[in-house]
PDB file of all heavy atoms in Angstrom:
ATOM      1  N   GLU A1080     -31.417  54.753  -6.553  1.00 76.00           N
ATOM      2  CA  GLU A1080     -30.267  55.019  -7.426  1.00 76.00           C
ATOM      3  C   GLU A1080     -29.068  54.223  -6.969  1.00 76.00           C
ATOM      4  O   GLU A1080     -28.792  54.247  -5.686  1.00 76.00           O
ATOM      5  CB  GLU A1080     -29.972  56.521  -7.441  1.00 76.00           C
ATOM      6  CG  GLU A1080     -31.089  57.332  -8.094  1.00 76.00           C
ATOM      7  CD  GLU A1080     -30.578  58.747  -8.310  1.00 76.00           C
ATOM      8  OE1 GLU A1080     -29.401  59.007  -8.333  1.00 76.00           O
ATOM      9  OE2 GLU A1080     -31.494  59.680  -8.522  1.00 76.00           O
ATOM     10  N   LEU A1081     -28.410  53.577  -7.845  1.00 80.00           N
ATOM     11  CA  LEU A1081     -27.417  52.686  -7.569  1.00 80.00           C
ATOM     12  C   LEU A1081     -26.033  53.325  -7.789  1.00 80.00           C
ATOM     13  O   LEU A1081     -25.741  53.778  -8.879  1.00 80.00           O
ATOM     14  CB  LEU A1081     -27.500  51.313  -8.311  1.00 80.00           C
ATOM     15  CG  LEU A1081     -26.467  50.232  -7.993  1.00 80.00           C
ATOM     16  CD1 LEU A1081     -26.675  49.772  -6.595  1.00 80.00           C
ATOM     17  CD2 LEU A1081     -26.695  49.103  -8.986  1.00 80.00           C
ATOM     18  N   ALA A1082     -25.234  53.546  -6.702  1.00 84.00           N
ATOM     19  CA  ALA A1082     -23.989  54.224  -6.815  1.00 84.00           C
ATOM     20  C   ALA A1082     -22.850  53.209  -6.552  1.00 84.00           C
ATOM     21  O   ALA A1082     -22.430  53.016  -5.391  1.00 84.00           O
ATOM     22  CB  ALA A1082     -23.962  55.408  -5.896  1.00 84.00           C
ATOM     23  N   LEU A1083     -22.421  52.570  -7.550  1.00 88.00           N
ATOM     24  CA  LEU A1083     -21.428  51.603  -7.387  1.00 88.00           C
ATOM     25  C   LEU A1083     -20.056  52.072  -6.794  1.00 88.00           C
ATOM     26  O   LEU A1083     -19.436  51.459  -5.967  1.00 88.00           O
ATOM     27  CB  LEU A1083     -21.125  50.812  -8.716  1.00 88.00           C
ATOM     28  CG  LEU A1083     -22.222  49.842  -9.194  1.00 88.00           C
ATOM     29  CD1 LEU A1083     -21.672  49.182 -10.572  1.00 88.00           C
ATOM     30  CD2 LEU A1083     -22.565  48.847  -8.170  1.00 88.00           C
ATOM     31  N   GLU A1084     -19.673  53.288  -7.340  1.00 89.00           N
ATOM     32  CA  GLU A1084     -18.431  53.850  -6.836  1.00 89.00           C
ATOM     33  C   GLU A1084     -18.360  54.083  -5.334  1.00 89.00           C
ATOM     34  O   GLU A1084     -17.269  53.866  -4.624  1.00 89.00           O
ATOM     35  CB  GLU A1084     -18.012  55.090  -7.706  1.00 89.00           C
ATOM     36  CG  GLU A1084     -17.707  54.732  -9.166  1.00 89.00           C
ATOM     37  CD  GLU A1084     -17.346  56.010  -9.864  1.00 89.00           C
ATOM     38  OE1 GLU A1084     -17.470  57.107  -9.369  1.00 89.00           O
ATOM     39  OE2 GLU A1084     -16.953  55.818 -11.103  1.00 89.00           O
ATOM     40  N   GLY A1085     -19.510  54.634  -4.859  1.00 92.00           N
ATOM     41  CA  GLY A1085     -19.550  54.896  -3.499  1.00 92.00           C
ATOM     42  C   GLY A1085     -19.510  53.673  -2.618  1.00 92.00           C
ATOM     43  O   GLY A1085     -18.811  53.583  -1.663  1.00 92.00           O
ATOM     44  N   LEU A1086     -20.209  52.541  -3.101  1.00 94.00           N
ATOM     45  CA  LEU A1086     -20.147  51.359  -2.360  1.00 94.00           C
ATOM     46  C   LEU A1086     -18.731  50.757  -2.386  1.00 94.00           C
ATOM     47  O   LEU A1086     -18.318  50.271  -1.369  1.00 94.00           O
ATOM     48  CB  LEU A1086     -21.138  50.251  -3.053  1.00 94.00           C
ATOM     49  CG  LEU A1086     -22.668  50.507  -2.889  1.00 94.00           C
ATOM     50  CD1 LEU A1086     -23.414  49.642  -3.819  1.00 94.00           C
ATOM     51  CD2 LEU A1086     -22.991  50.247  -1.364  1.00 94.00           C
ATOM     52  N   GLN A1087     -18.152  50.902  -3.577  1.00 93.00           N
ATOM     53  CA  GLN A1087     -16.726  50.309  -3.632  1.00 93.00           C
ATOM     54  C   GLN A1087     -15.827  51.013  -2.663  1.00 93.00           C
ATOM     55  O   GLN A1087     -15.035  50.385  -2.016  1.00 93.00           O
ATOM     56  CB  GLN A1087     -16.268  50.544  -5.114  1.00 93.00           C
ATOM     57  CG  GLN A1087     -14.978  49.879  -5.391  1.00 93.00           C
ATOM     58  CD  GLN A1087     -15.133  48.381  -5.839  1.00 93.00           C
ATOM     59  OE1 GLN A1087     -16.011  48.110  -6.639  1.00 93.00           O
ATOM     60  NE2 GLN A1087     -14.321  47.541  -5.172  1.00 93.00           N
ATOM     61  N   ALA A1088     -15.948  52.362  -2.568  1.00 94.00           N
ATOM     62  CA  ALA A1088     -15.033  53.148  -1.690  1.00 94.00           C
ATOM     63  C   ALA A1088     -15.229  52.782  -0.283  1.00 94.00           C
ATOM     64  O   ALA A1088     -14.364  52.695   0.528  1.00 94.00           O
ATOM     65  CB  ALA A1088     -15.277  54.570  -1.941  1.00 94.00           C
ATOM     66  N   ARG A1089     -16.489  52.501   0.128  1.00 96.00           N
ATOM     67  CA  ARG A1089     -16.765  52.277   1.592  1.00 96.00           C
ATOM     68  C   ARG A1089     -16.597  50.805   1.931  1.00 96.00           C
ATOM     69  O   ARG A1089     -16.335  50.526   3.113  1.00 96.00           O
ATOM     70  CB  ARG A1089     -18.280  52.678   1.804  1.00 96.00           C
ATOM     71  CG  ARG A1089     -18.515  54.053   1.715  1.00 96.00           C
ATOM     72  CD  ARG A1089     -19.968  54.425   2.365  1.00 96.00           C
ATOM     73  NE  ARG A1089     -20.942  53.806   1.535  1.00 96.00           N
ATOM     74  CZ  ARG A1089     -21.449  54.446   0.378  1.00 96.00           C
ATOM     75  NH1 ARG A1089     -21.008  55.557  -0.001  1.00 96.00           N
ATOM     76  NH2 ARG A1089     -22.408  53.845  -0.365  1.00 96.00           N
ATOM     77  N   LEU A1090     -16.624  49.837   0.994  1.00 96.00           N
ATOM     78  CA  LEU A1090     -16.579  48.502   1.331  1.00 96.00           C
ATOM     79  C   LEU A1090     -15.155  47.720   0.896  1.00 96.00           C
ATOM     80  O   LEU A1090     -15.011  46.621   1.380  1.00 96.00           O
ATOM     81  CB  LEU A1090     -17.730  47.738   0.719  1.00 96.00           C
ATOM     82  CG  LEU A1090     -19.100  48.160   1.241  1.00 96.00           C
ATOM     83  CD1 LEU A1090     -20.194  47.394   0.468  1.00 96.00           C
ATOM     84  CD2 LEU A1090     -19.372  48.055   2.715  1.00 96.00           C
ATOM     85  N   GLY A1091     -14.538  48.360  -0.028  1.00 94.00           N
ATOM     86  CA  GLY A1091     -13.389  47.717  -0.665  1.00 94.00           C
ATOM     87  C   GLY A1091     -12.349  47.255   0.309  1.00 94.00           C
ATOM     88  O   GLY A1091     -11.614  46.278   0.053  1.00 94.00           O
ATOM     89  N   HIS A1092     -12.201  47.895   1.466  1.00 95.00           N
ATOM     90  CA  HIS A1092     -11.170  47.619   2.448  1.00 95.00           C
ATOM     91  C   HIS A1092     -11.510  46.373   3.361  1.00 95.00           C
ATOM     92  O   HIS A1092     -10.634  45.941   4.082  1.00 95.00           O
ATOM     93  CB  HIS A1092     -10.806  48.748   3.291  1.00 95.00           C
ATOM     94  CG  HIS A1092     -12.074  49.150   4.245  1.00 95.00           C
ATOM     95  ND1 HIS A1092     -13.163  49.772   3.794  1.00 95.00           N
ATOM     96  CD2 HIS A1092     -12.124  48.901   5.629  1.00 95.00           C
ATOM     97  CE1 HIS A1092     -13.974  49.852   4.756  1.00 95.00           C
ATOM     98  NE2 HIS A1092     -13.413  49.416   5.902  1.00 95.00           N
ATOM     99  N   LEU A1093     -12.691  45.855   3.173  1.00 96.00           N
ATOM    100  CA  LEU A1093     -13.134  44.758   4.072  1.00 96.00           C
ATOM    101  C   LEU A1093     -12.819  43.369   3.662  1.00 96.00           C
ATOM    102  O   LEU A1093     -13.112  42.401   4.312  1.00 96.00           O
ATOM    103  CB  LEU A1093     -14.668  44.886   4.202  1.00 96.00           C
ATOM    104  CG  LEU A1093     -15.358  46.151   4.834  1.00 96.00           C
ATOM    105  CD1 LEU A1093     -16.741  46.095   4.787  1.00 96.00           C
ATOM    106  CD2 LEU A1093     -14.681  46.378   6.184  1.00 96.00           C
ATOM    107  N   CYS A1094     -12.080  43.202   2.494  1.00 95.00           N
ATOM    108  CA  CYS A1094     -11.657  41.967   1.963  1.00 95.00           C
ATOM    109  C   CYS A1094     -10.383  42.218   1.186  1.00 95.00           C
ATOM    110  O   CYS A1094      -9.973  43.265   0.912  1.00 95.00           O
ATOM    111  CB  CYS A1094     -12.752  41.201   1.123  1.00 95.00           C
ATOM    112  SG  CYS A1094     -13.374  42.255  -0.260  1.00 95.00           S
ATOM    113  N   SER A1095      -9.751  41.096   0.793  1.00 94.00           N
ATOM    114  CA  SER A1095      -8.444  41.214  -0.009  1.00 94.00           C
ATOM    115  C   SER A1095      -8.684  42.006  -1.331  1.00 94.00           C
ATOM    116  O   SER A1095      -7.734  42.776  -1.686  1.00 94.00           O
ATOM    117  CB  SER A1095      -7.964  39.817  -0.332  1.00 94.00           C
ATOM    118  OG  SER A1095      -7.628  39.069   0.893  1.00 94.00           O
ATOM    119  N   TYR A1096      -9.795  41.904  -1.910  1.00 96.00           N
ATOM    120  CA  TYR A1096     -10.095  42.473  -3.249  1.00 96.00           C
ATOM    121  C   TYR A1096     -11.621  42.503  -3.337  1.00 96.00           C
ATOM    122  O   TYR A1096     -12.248  41.450  -3.079  1.00 96.00           O
ATOM    123  CB  TYR A1096      -9.475  41.895  -4.354  1.00 96.00           C
ATOM    124  CG  TYR A1096      -9.839  42.431  -5.659  1.00 96.00           C
ATOM    125  CD1 TYR A1096      -9.451  43.635  -6.162  1.00 96.00           C
ATOM    126  CD2 TYR A1096     -10.725  41.629  -6.526  1.00 96.00           C
ATOM    127  CE1 TYR A1096      -9.835  44.123  -7.412  1.00 96.00           C
ATOM    128  CE2 TYR A1096     -11.022  42.003  -7.795  1.00 96.00           C
ATOM    129  CZ  TYR A1096     -10.651  43.331  -8.211  1.00 96.00           C
ATOM    130  OH  TYR A1096     -11.048  43.806  -9.450  1.00 96.00           O
ATOM    131  N   LEU A1097     -12.199  43.606  -3.833  1.00 97.00           N
ATOM    132  CA  LEU A1097     -13.626  43.564  -4.095  1.00 97.00           C
ATOM    133  C   LEU A1097     -13.982  44.041  -5.439  1.00 97.00           C
ATOM    134  O   LEU A1097     -13.470  45.181  -5.933  1.00 97.00           O
ATOM    135  CB  LEU A1097     -14.404  44.518  -3.086  1.00 97.00           C
ATOM    136  CG  LEU A1097     -15.864  44.720  -3.320  1.00 97.00           C
ATOM    137  CD1 LEU A1097     -16.651  43.352  -3.108  1.00 97.00           C
ATOM    138  CD2 LEU A1097     -16.434  45.756  -2.250  1.00 97.00           C
ATOM    139  N   GLU A1098     -14.797  43.371  -6.205  1.00 96.00           N
ATOM    140  CA  GLU A1098     -15.339  43.678  -7.418  1.00 96.00           C
ATOM    141  C   GLU A1098     -16.831  43.705  -7.458  1.00 96.00           C
ATOM    142  O   GLU A1098     -17.384  42.686  -7.212  1.00 96.00           O
ATOM    143  CB  GLU A1098     -14.759  42.758  -8.485  1.00 96.00           C
ATOM    144  CG  GLU A1098     -15.252  43.141  -9.942  1.00 96.00           C
ATOM    145  CD  GLU A1098     -14.573  42.262 -11.010  1.00 96.00           C
ATOM    146  OE1 GLU A1098     -13.338  42.264 -11.105  1.00 96.00           O
ATOM    147  OE2 GLU A1098     -15.281  41.513 -11.738  1.00 96.00           O
ATOM    148  N   LEU A1099     -17.478  44.844  -7.805  1.00 96.00           N
ATOM    149  CA  LEU A1099     -18.932  44.846  -7.717  1.00 96.00           C
ATOM    150  C   LEU A1099     -19.293  44.865  -9.245  1.00 96.00           C
ATOM    151  O   LEU A1099     -18.859  45.598 -10.043  1.00 96.00           O
ATOM    152  CB  LEU A1099     -19.389  46.167  -7.117  1.00 96.00           C
ATOM    153  CG  LEU A1099     -19.099  46.364  -5.576  1.00 96.00           C
ATOM    154  CD1 LEU A1099     -19.552  47.734  -5.129  1.00 96.00           C
ATOM    155  CD2 LEU A1099     -19.785  45.349  -4.804  1.00 96.00           C
ATOM    156  N   VAL A1100     -20.299  43.953  -9.513  1.00 93.00           N
ATOM    157  CA  VAL A1100     -20.733  43.742 -10.836  1.00 93.00           C
ATOM    158  C   VAL A1100     -22.291  44.049 -10.962  1.00 93.00           C
ATOM    159  O   VAL A1100     -23.010  43.411 -10.097  1.00 93.00           O
ATOM    160  CB  VAL A1100     -20.404  42.377 -11.451  1.00 93.00           C
ATOM    161  CG1 VAL A1100     -20.962  42.169 -12.800  1.00 93.00           C
ATOM    162  CG2 VAL A1100     -18.949  42.181 -11.416  1.00 93.00           C
TER     163      VAL A1100
END
Side-chain angles (χ1 to χ4, degrees):
E1080 294 192 19
L1081 187 61
L1083 288 183
E1084 291 182 356
L1086 285 170
Q1087 189 83 48
R1089 292 189 296 275
L1090 301 177
H1092 68 285
L1093 298 177
C1094 54
S1095 296
Y1096 171 74
L1097 176 61
E1098 179 176 300
L1099 296 175
V1100 179

